[in-house]
């Protein structure tokens, strides 16, 4: 136990020296009148993905408490399925939300490249995209095969152990022409098309060429062998159907290629409305992409703008059409289960739409009781970023490692058990549940940049490791926040230095 005591002491010391005053979001208690340090929060939001990596870690890995893990994934069927991301606080690789994560990261890099570059984070964002896209490429082993999951979700969730110790079954799941999953294939197609646009101008064009070819193949697979994705149930079941993913993928492929067949698909399959944008429901995302084409002159896509306007009216306060309420503190609140995933995606969409409206010279969006200018839409989106970073009734940041008050007992296996570099012996499944999961001790590893599920509908948050619906982070929360944070940074035109990120990640 001496080793553990030394580690906890070290971790607490890292907390005290790692949080700089320049990234203070709240002063630790009450609302801050100043804007948060968007440069610092953007850097940390991207850093989070390094802590979620599976596989053999690269030499330039910055999150030092992590080690290599799951190095034999795929061997049972003679395929290489190492790499990729663990989706949240567990040790399963779910391809469906992983692909959505890659799509959102790529969209952020495309829409806000200048802002990300100004913060010195473009190379790190590209690395995060590459890590996920590379896995998706390898998971697409034939024109009609896509591996969609590595690991038994039920067995994994009955175990609390570090990914480096993982000994639960690494069961493989896949979709084929006989067992289709158009949602998963469509999302993977969207992800690789978006990633292609990020990497297409690189000097070495091999990777980009592979991305685009795989994206086209996956769209054909999703469209020609239609069927709803259920293989990962009870985790990440599809409830919205596959039409939204087909629209989303065709919109990305049209943007990437200008191939008329994808525009034809968009024209011939218009429809679908939603009040959320998530790993399951992409209608609003497809409407955003199609609206950008419409405002650029594709008049045949007008209905997509109407759908997008309906979404704006559903989320903007006092619109007369509001369907998504805000908490007393002003946070968009869709549901009391990992709510920030819906807040961050809506925020990203609002920022992109306000930017698109401004660039097209549009006056804004008309709802039944009010109209909203691009500036008003941007301002509301910025308020969501600021809430997450500490301007809220709790006076706390919902990003780990940002500000002086943040969640320290997050629902995350690797974060809650001492690093294998400090405690090198195996921590068994049962020991994890008995010794590390139920304690009120702070997590020994600060998972810098992780955005948790967030507060309840009354702006309250219990920093409780066992409360997964509020204290668990997820890749798709952070992926949406990256673009939203970059947009907020651009709006404020701040010239803040990135805080001392090295002190948060160099523990050894």
């Amino acid at each position: 136990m001496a080793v553990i005591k030394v580690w906890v002491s070290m971790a607490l010391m890292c907390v005290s020296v790692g949080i700089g005053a320049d990234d203070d979001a709240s002063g630790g208690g009450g609302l801050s009148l100043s804007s948060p340090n968007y440069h610092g929060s953007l850097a940390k939001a991207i850093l989070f993905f390094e802590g979620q990596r599976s596989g053999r870690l690269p030499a330039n890995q910055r999150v030092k408490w992590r080690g290599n893990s799951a190095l034999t994934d795929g061997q049972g069927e003679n395929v290489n399925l190492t790499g990729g991301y663990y989706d949240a606080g567990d040790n399963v690789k779910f391809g469906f939300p992983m692909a959505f994560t890659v799509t959102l990261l790529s969209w952020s890099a495309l829409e806000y490249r200048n802002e990300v570059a100004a913060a010195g984070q473009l190379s790190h964002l590209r690395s995060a995209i590459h890590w996920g896209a590379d896995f998706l490429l390898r998971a697409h082993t034939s024109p009609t095969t896509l591996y969609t999951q590595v690991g038994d979700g039920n067995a994994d969730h009955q175990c609390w152990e570090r990914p480096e110790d993982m000994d639960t079954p690494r069961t493989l799941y896949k979709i084929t022409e006989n067992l289709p999953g158009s949602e998963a294939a469509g999302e993977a197609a969207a992800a690789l098309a978006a990633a292609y646009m990020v990497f297409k101008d690189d000097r070495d064009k091999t990777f980009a060429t592979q991305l685009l070819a795989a994206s086209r193949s996956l769209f054909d697979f999703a469209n020609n062998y239609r069927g709803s994705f259920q293989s990962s149930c009870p985790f990440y079941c599809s409830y919205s159907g596959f039409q939204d993913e087909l629209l989303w993928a065709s919109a990305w492929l049209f943007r990437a290629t200008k191939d008329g067949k994808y525009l034809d698909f968009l024209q011939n399959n218009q429809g679908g409305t939603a009040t959320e944008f998530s790993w399951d429901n992409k209608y609003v995302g497809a409407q955003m992409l199609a609206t950008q084409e419409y405002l650029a002159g594709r008049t045949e896509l007008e209905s997509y703008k109407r759908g997008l306007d309906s979404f704006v009216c559903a989320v903007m306060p006092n619109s007369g059409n509001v369907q998504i309420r805000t908490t007393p503190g002003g946070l968009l609140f869709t549901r009391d289960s990992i709510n920030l995933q819906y807040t961050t995606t809506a925020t990203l969409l609002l920022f992109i739409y306000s930017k698109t409206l401004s660039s097209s010279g549009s006056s804004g969006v008309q709802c039944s009781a009010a109209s909203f200018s691009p500036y008003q839409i941007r301002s509301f989106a910025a308020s969501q970023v600021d809430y997450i970073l500490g301007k809220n009734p709790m006076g706390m940041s919902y990003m780990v490692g940002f500000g002086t008050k943040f969640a320290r007992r997050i629902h995350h296996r690797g974060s809650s058990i001492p690093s294998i570099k400090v405690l090198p012996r195996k921590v068994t499944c049962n020991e994890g549940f008995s010794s590390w999961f139920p304690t009120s001790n702070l997590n020994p590893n600060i998972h810098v940049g992780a955005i948790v599920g967030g507060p309840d509908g009354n702006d309250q948050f219990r920093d409780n490791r066992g409360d997964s619906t509020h204290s668990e982070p997820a890749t798709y929360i952070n992926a949406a926040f990256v673009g939203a944070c970059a947009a907020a940074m651009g709006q404020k035109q701040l010239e803040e230095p990135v805080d001392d990120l090295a002190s948060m990640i160099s523990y050894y």
Side-chain angles (χ1 to χ4, degrees):
M1 295 299 292
V3 173
I4 295 173
K5 290 179 181 177
V6 169
W7 166 248
V8 172
S9 175
M10 181 187 299
L12 291 174
M13 183 166 60
C14 287
V15 172
S16 65
V17 301
I19 312 297
D22 58 340
D23 70 2
D24 180 25
S26 64
L31 297 177
S32 170
L33 296 179
S34 61
S35 295
N37 179 347
Y38 298 125
H39 284 74
S41 59
L42 178 63
K44 292 176 180 180
I46 296 170
L47 176 66
F48 162 78
F49 290 94
E50 295 191 21
Q52 294 297 116
R53 283 172 170 170
S54 178
R56 189 173 300 281
L57 302 181
N60 62 355
Q61 170 81 9
R62 295 177 295 163
V63 178
K64 301 299 185 181
W65 51 267
R66 282 297 321 284
N68 299 331
S69 62
L71 298 180
T72 62
D73 280 356
Q75 285 187 2
E77 296 188 16
N78 296 316
V79 293
N80 178 9
L81 295 177
T82 59
Y85 292 112
Y86 303 117
D87 73 303
D90 53 20
N91 297 324
V92 182
K93 293 189 295 201
F94 294 101
F96 189 25
M98 191 193 306
F100 184 57
T101 293
V102 172
T103 312
L104 292 183
L105 287 174
S106 299
W107 203 5
S108 300
L110 294 168
E111 289 285 348
Y112 298 106
R113 185 185 191 281
N114 292 339
E115 291 83 352
V116 175
Q121 297 302 307
L122 187 58
S123 64
H124 295 308
L125 177 54
R126 286 166 55 90
S127 294
I129 296 166
H130 196 292
W131 193 269
D134 188 55
F135 175 85
L136 295 174
L137 274 180
R138 285 183 279 109
H140 183 41
T141 56
S142 85
T144 56
T145 304
L146 175 67
Y147 284 87
T148 57
Q149 183 176 329
V150 182
D152 183 323
N154 288 306
D156 178 88
H157 284 66
Q158 293 169 12
C159 194
W160 196 264
E161 60 186 355
R162 301 172 296 200
E164 295 82 2
D165 290 330
M166 184 169 40
D167 53 11
T168 50
R170 302 302 286 170
T171 310
L172 304 180
Y173 301 81
K174 62 188 175 184
I175 55 174
T176 66
E177 66 270 31
N178 296 318
L179 189 67
S182 295
E183 294 94 336
E187 183 57 62
L192 297 185
Y196 159 76
M197 296 185 69
V198 174
F199 295 108
K200 67 177 182 177
D201 294 328
D202 286 9
R203 183 175 304 172
D204 180 2
K205 299 186 182 300
T206 301
F207 184 58
T209 300
Q210 293 173 333
L211 291 171
L212 183 57
S215 176
R216 286 181 178 272
S217 174
L218 282 161
F219 178 80
D220 290 341
F221 177 31
N223 191 33
N224 294 337
Y225 298 91
R226 294 189 177 192
S228 193
F229 178 63
Q230 298 297 328
S231 63
S232 70
C233 284
F235 310 99
Y236 297 110
C237 311
S238 176
Y239 299 100
S240 67
F242 54 74
Q243 186 68 13
D244 54 312
E245 276 80 19
L246 293 178
L247 291 171
W248 176 235
S250 61
W252 273 112
L253 276 161
F254 180 67
R255 174 166 292 191
T257 67
K258 299 305 177 186
D259 187 330
K261 88 172 195 178
Y262 303 115
L263 178 60
D264 290 343
F265 189 93
L266 289 172
Q267 288 180 231
N268 297 330
N269 294 276
Q270 299 186 36
T273 59
T275 57
E276 70 179 48
F277 178 43
S278 68
W279 57 262
D280 180 37
N281 195 320
K282 319 295 168 33
Y283 277 117
V284 185
Q287 288 163 358
M288 182 68 252
L289 294 173
T291 295
Q292 289 178 316
E293 297 293 340
Y294 165 72
L295 292 174
R298 300 283 180 183
T299 56
E300 65 271 30
L301 301 179
E302 182 180 4
S303 72
Y304 285 99
K305 184 181 185 301
R306 291 197 295 270
L308 184 58
D309 286 351
S310 294
F311 172 78
V312 172
C313 294
V315 301
M316 289 292 290
N318 304 314
S319 69
N321 304 83
V322 65
Q323 297 178 51
I324 304 300
R325 74 178 182 92
T326 54
T327 65
L331 179 71
L332 273 175
F333 196 80
T334 300
R335 65 191 66 169
D336 195 26
S337 179
I338 319 180
N339 177 66
L340 287 188
Q341 69 174 302
Y342 307 106
T343 304
T344 54
T345 51
T347 300
L348 176 61
L349 280 173
L350 291 174
F351 268 126
I352 294 174
Y353 196 23
S354 67
K355 174 185 174 185
T356 301
L357 290 170
S358 293
S359 63
S360 68
S362 172
S363 60
V365 174
Q366 179 66 52
C367 304
S368 64
S371 59
F372 297 99
S373 67
Y375 174 78
Q376 289 173 309
I377 295 171
R378 278 198 306 274
S379 295
F380 179 68
S383 75
Q384 301 303 295
V385 173
D386 290 354
Y387 184 107
I388 291 169
L389 295 177
K391 296 179 75 171
N392 56 63
M394 292 282 292
M396 71 176 294
S397 165
Y398 291 104
M399 173 184 282
V400 174
F402 186 86
T404 57
K405 182 181 178 183
F406 55 86
R408 297 175 185 267
R409 300 172 185 84
I410 67 172
H411 183 94
H412 190 279
R413 288 157 176 77
S415 173
S416 65
I417 302 173
S419 169
I420 196 169
K421 299 178 182 180
V422 171
L423 184 63
R425 67 170 176 81
K426 180 179 177 63
V427 176
T428 66
C429 177
N430 290 335
E431 181 186 353
F433 262 130
S434 63
S435 299
W436 301 103
F437 175 75
T439 73
S440 60
N441 296 335
L442 306 183
N443 282 10
N445 305 307
I446 306 172
H447 198 348
V448 176
I451 300 175
V452 296
D456 64 22
N458 293 312
D459 302 296
Q460 299 301 301
F461 178 81
R462 297 183 305 122
D463 191 5
N464 181 350
R465 192 176 300 113
D467 183 8
S468 62
T469 61
H470 299 101
S471 67
E472 187 171 16
T475 55
Y476 37 89
I477 302 177
N478 270 68
F481 186 82
V482 166
C485 184
M489 183 176 67
Q491 178 185 347
K492 297 292 186 181
Q493 297 181 330
L494 298 178
E495 296 181 357
E496 304 160 331
V498 176
D499 60 355
D500 186 11
L501 194 61
S503 68
M504 295 295 295
I505 59 182
S506 301
Y507 292 152
Y508 310 106

